[in-house]
């Protein structure tokens, strides 16, 4: 009998032990890992809650509302709307009940989402004390609009930014998507829209401007030129021989000039006509280390510090990849082979040259204010990298002005404005090519730097950067300069 | 020598009055807490006090007062903690169900009333818990009938892959819930009779002295019942619960580790067979090991529950301020996660502590009782409560593979609620009987003392 009492107590101890185990595990979940679980981006708890709460709006620098929340009679009390449809899809991203947040909605979620202020009186304990932050972006709707018009019907991207601050003025890529379709309160509709976007072979969800890498082609020659200015000044004035094909060792695929033309001469002359044979040889002369160093100074092989999520890194092969591979070195020097860059990266290269060699951190946030107008956050420009000296960037700017004045980028010229640019026609798989242009202006005191890529597609015929990308860059440049003059 | 009034009536009355007063205090505390939570839940939703706050409070208080008065009348010496903790757990569960699903809350309210009636009825009809022994075979047969009822074509219904439900007319219920009581009664009375024989060793196997082989019969039978539940009804939770009940009662009765080890051996064997047989069991274990890789599939419930509990943190989001409704079965199996989100670690700990106090009160009754049957029955019943709580809370917190089972008193579910009210009525009865007998014993000792 007494033994049975002991064993009854033992059962109690067992239950106690089980409960202690649960309690310990609860502490792990609710205390130790609480923040991690609560802030897990896959946690739909936050998003679902946000559907019942006010959320700040997102506006462009010129005051166009591109995302805001309106009261709803549906399942949740608010509905997120994107009044401009697909125009800003890749910038705003979305708030989806199923797929979470993306884009600026994700980056600035802490500012946009409702914050409860502390109650200062007992009466205000149950009053509405929620405040939201309204976010103003550096994007200018007038520039964004022109970029979209220029790319209409064509796959490609435009990135325009202010080289002095890193403020992005326009960032558009085609095809794009309408975030309204993913912001529905109906989960089934959201899933269907998501499936349709993902099944589209053109992948409209992809923000090509900062998440897709391309072969940069001849636009990369400015990096090779910068490497010469910075690390082998003796090569700047070297007279490269007049050739139509550069004979490369150990390979049957030699390096020809575009259209079989013959070119040569100094760096300035090579850049003006985008001379493959000259830059191929210059790459060989520079050696792999100089090219790797200079490309990394411009931001290759690191994620650009833009305040939007998941920007892709651009790539330049490591020194070891060029071991015993002279052809790879020559091809990389003209932006072919394994060199890969996002349109944003190419815009940052233009911006660095424009801004005395200093690349400012790219950003889309201008400022955020709460409902009462109090400033929550203001972006302060800061430098990301110093890619070149002031003197060398000035020299390279002059070379790039030459490209516009009487080189391959004459279509990028704007009357009354000194434009510096470099074209690129990057070969992709097969016989097709992507048309590139990077530019900045006014060259004396640049306030706009642009990268444009038009992806090859049927119906465009012989694609070249000078023919297809330059007019786009010109239109966007004009829009940006005009927007800057009329705030 | 001055004579003190030590008549059994008076001491008993005094003790009873004290205990009932304590009980009243406990349920008043619980009622205030529940009413406050209800008001807060409503504020959390709409920043308005609920229109039906008064009827709600009247309903909660009314039911507990009925329970309290019935104990006052029928079992005045019972441990006050039993009803106090049950009120707390049931009330908290009810507010939570109300907050999660108002439609179900209306039904849960009805079930609370039915449970109250069942509680009073049990206390009224079972004058002495030991009388239940007499009907042990009736209980055994009833238990088996209840277990197979869901398998009977026409009335059995499969819900969510488990065939646990019986539908007769408009009423559907899970007979398996009630089986834990009938089986506990049967096993307790059987073991009380045979425990001497079962604990004696009669034949030697190496260094171990084994009891007669025939005594293993019931063990195998109980094992059979557990696994029939698992294989036929696909209800791992109930199967494990029955098994824990058998094994713990066997061990408490005989004190021989042989039984639990043998049973554990059989259990592992059975689970291995089931493992091969049933894909759903393998999936359960895969999900247990890594729910995150199947977060949109089989791991959805667990992953969402963890998000919710993690978001709840220490103090919770506030009742009515969370978003637990996206977890499937949040009103039943996952109500603990909803509490974790809205009331935080404080809320989940409150549940555990209340349940632990309840288990402690039940064990106190078991230890106070001099009747081996009552002792064993009370131990078995609280073990069921403790293990059931562990199976579901451990499942949600990933200490165990997840098996769907209700959190006693808290989860939505009529069968579970009514069964647990009856279970508590039996514990109240045992507790009262034990106190009453102890009082009589004390009186006899003191009166013997005075005559000598």
């Amino acid at each position: 009998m007494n033994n049975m009492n002991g064993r009854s107590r033992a059962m109690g101890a067992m239950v106690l032990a089980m409960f202690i185990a649960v309690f310990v595990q609860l502490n792990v979940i609710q205390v130790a890992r609480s923040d991690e679980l609560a802030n897990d981006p896959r946690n739909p708890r936050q998003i679902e809650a946000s559907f019942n709460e006010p959320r700040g709006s997102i506006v462009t620098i010129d005051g166009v509302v591109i995302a805001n929340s309106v009261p709803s009679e549906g399942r949740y009390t608010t509905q997120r709307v994107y009044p401009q449809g697909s125009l800003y899809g890749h910038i705003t991203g979305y708030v989806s009940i199923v797929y979470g947040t993306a884009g600026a909605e994700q980056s600035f979620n802490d500012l946009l989402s409702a914050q409860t202020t502390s109650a200062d009186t007992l009466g205000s304990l149950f009053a509405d004390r929620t405040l939201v932050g309204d976010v103003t972006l550096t994007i200018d709707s007038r520039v964004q609009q022109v970029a979209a018009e220029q790319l209409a019907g064509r796959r490609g991207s435009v990135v325009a930014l202010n080289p002095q601050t890193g403020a992005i003025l326009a960032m558009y890529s085609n095809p794009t998507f309408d975030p309204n379709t993913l912001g529905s309160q109906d989960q089934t509709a959201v899933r269907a829209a998501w499936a349709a976007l993902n099944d589209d072979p053109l992948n409209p969800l992809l923000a090509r401007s900062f998440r897709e890498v391309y072969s940069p082609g001849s636009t990369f020659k400015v990096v090779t030129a910068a490497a010469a200015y910075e690390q082998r000044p003796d090569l700047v004035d070297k007279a490269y021989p007049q050739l139509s094909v550069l004979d490369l060792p150990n390979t049957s695929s030699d390096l020809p000039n575009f259209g079989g033309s013959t070119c040569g001469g100094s760096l300035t002359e090579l850049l003006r006509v985008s001379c493959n044979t000259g830059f191929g040889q210059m790459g060989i002369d520079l050696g792999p280390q100089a090219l790797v160093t200079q490309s990394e100074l411009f931001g290759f092989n690191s994620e650009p510090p833009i305040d939007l999520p998941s920007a892709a890194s651009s790539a330049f092969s490591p020194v070891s990849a060029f071991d015993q591979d002279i052809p790879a070195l020559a091809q990389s020097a003209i932006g072919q082979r394994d060199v890969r860059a996002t349109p944003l990266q190419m815009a940052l290269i233009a911006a660095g040259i424009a801004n005395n060699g200093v690349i400012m951190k790219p950003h889309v946030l201008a400022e955020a204010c709460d409902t009462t107008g109090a400033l929550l956050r203001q972006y302060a420009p800061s430098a990301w990298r110093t890619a070149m000296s002031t003197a060398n960037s000035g020299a390279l700017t002059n070379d790039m002005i030459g490209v516009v004045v009487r080189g391959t980028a004459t279509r990028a010229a704007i009357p009354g404005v000194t434009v510096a640019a470099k074209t690129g026609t990057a070969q992709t798989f097969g016989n097709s090519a992507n048309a590139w242009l990077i530019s900045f202006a006014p060259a004396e005191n640049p306030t706009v730097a642009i990268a444009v890529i038009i992806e090859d597609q049927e119906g465009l015929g012989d694609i070249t950067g000078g023919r297809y990308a330059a007019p786009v860059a010109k239109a966007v440049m004009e829009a940006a300069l005009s927007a800057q003059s009329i705030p | 020598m001055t004579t003190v009034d030590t008549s059994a009536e008076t001491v008993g009355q005094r003790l009873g009055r004290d205990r009932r007063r304590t009980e009243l205090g406990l349920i008043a505390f619980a009622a205030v807490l529940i009413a406050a939570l209800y008001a807060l839940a409503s504020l959390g939703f709409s920043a308005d006090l609920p229109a039906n706050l008064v009827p709600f409070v009247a309903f909660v208080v009314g039911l507990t007062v009925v329970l309290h008065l019935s104990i006052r009348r029928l079992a005045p010496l019972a441990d006050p903690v039993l009803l106090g903790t049950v009120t707390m757990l049931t009330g908290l569960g009810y507010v939570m169900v109300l907050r999660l699903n108002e439609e179900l809350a209306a039904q849960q309210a009805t079930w609370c009333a039915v449970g109250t009636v069942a509680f009073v009825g049990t206390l009224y009809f079972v004058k002495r818990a030991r009388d239940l022994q007499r009907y042990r075979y009736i209980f055994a047969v009833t238990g088996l009938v209840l277990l197979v009822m869901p398998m009977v074509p026409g009335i059995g219904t499969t819900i969510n892959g488990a065939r646990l439900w019986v539908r007769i007319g408009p009423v559907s219920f899970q007979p398996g819930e009630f089986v834990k009581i009938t089986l506990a009664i049967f096993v307790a009375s059987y073991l009380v009779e045979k425990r001497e024989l079962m604990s004696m060793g009669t034949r030697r196997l190496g260094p171990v002295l084994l009891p007669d082989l025939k005594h293993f019969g019931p063990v195998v039978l109980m094992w059979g019942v557990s696994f029939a539940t698992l294989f036929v009804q696909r209800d791992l939770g109930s199967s494990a619960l029955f098994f824990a009940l058998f094994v713990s009662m066997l061990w408490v009765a005989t004190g021989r580790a042989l039984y639990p080890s043998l049973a554990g051996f059989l259990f592992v064997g059975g689970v291995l067979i089931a493992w091969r047989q049933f894909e759903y069991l393998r999936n359960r274990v895969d999900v247990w090991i890594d729910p995150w890789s199947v977060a949109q599939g089989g791991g959805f419930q667990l992953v969402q529950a963890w998000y919710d509990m993690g978001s709840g943190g220490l103090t919770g989001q506030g009742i009515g301020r969370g978003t637990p409704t996206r977890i499937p079965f949040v009103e039943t199996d996952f109500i603990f996660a909803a509490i974790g989100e809205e009331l935080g670690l404080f809320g989940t700990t409150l549940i555990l502590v209340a349940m632990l106090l309840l288990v402690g009160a039940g064990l106190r009754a078991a230890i106070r009782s001099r009747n081996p049957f009552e002792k064993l029955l009370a131990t078995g019943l609280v073990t069921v409560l403790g293990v059931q709580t562990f199976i579901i809370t451990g499942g949600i917190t990933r200490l165990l593979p997840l098996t769907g089972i209700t959190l006693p008193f808290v989860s939505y579910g009529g069968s579970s609620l009514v069964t647990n009210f009856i279970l508590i009525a039996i514990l109240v009865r045992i507790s009262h009987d034990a106190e009453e007998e102890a009082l009589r014993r004390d009186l006899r000792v003191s009166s013997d003392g005075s005559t000598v």
Side-chain angles (χ1 to χ4, degrees), chain A residues 40 136 144 153 159 246 265 289 308 324 450 459 473 482:
Chain A
D40 191 314
T136 303
Q144 182 82 358
V159 177
L246 180 64
Q289 185 61 60
L308 287 176
Q324 312 293 325
I450 291 175
S482 129

Side-chain angles (χ1 to χ4, degrees), chain A residues 370-418:
Chain A
D370 73 13
T371 324
T372 66
L375 193 65
L376 294 174
R377 195 181 296 171
Q378 186 162 36
Y379 185 84
S382 64
W384 180 35
R385 316 210 148 192
T386 302
M388 302 179 76
S389 70
T390 304
N392 286 337
S393 66
L396 188 51
T397 298
N398 284 333
D399 296 338
M400 289 172 73
I401 293 170
V403 176
V404 177
V405 174
R406 50 182 201 289
T408 54
T410 49
R411 288 184 176 88
I414 300 171
V417 179
T418 319

Side-chain angles (χ1 to χ4, degrees), chain A residues 60 82 96 104 160 197-198 226 236 272 311 356 379 392 407 423 445 474:
Chain A
T60 62
Y82 302 90
S96 161
L197 289 171
N198 276 289
V236 173
R272 188 179 67 79
N356 299 322
Y379 185 84
N392 286 337
T423 54
N445 179 28
K474 178 189 180 219

Side-chain angles (χ1 to χ4, degrees), chain A residues 2 83 118 138 153 185-186 190 193 202 207 262 283 287 292 298 323 370 375 379 407-408 450 462 473:
Chain A
N2 283 331
S118 56
T138 57
Q185 300 190 357
D186 178 356
V190 172
L202 299 179
T262 300
V292 170
F298 273 112
D323 203 22
D370 73 13
L375 193 65
Y379 185 84
T408 54
I450 291 175
D462 251 4

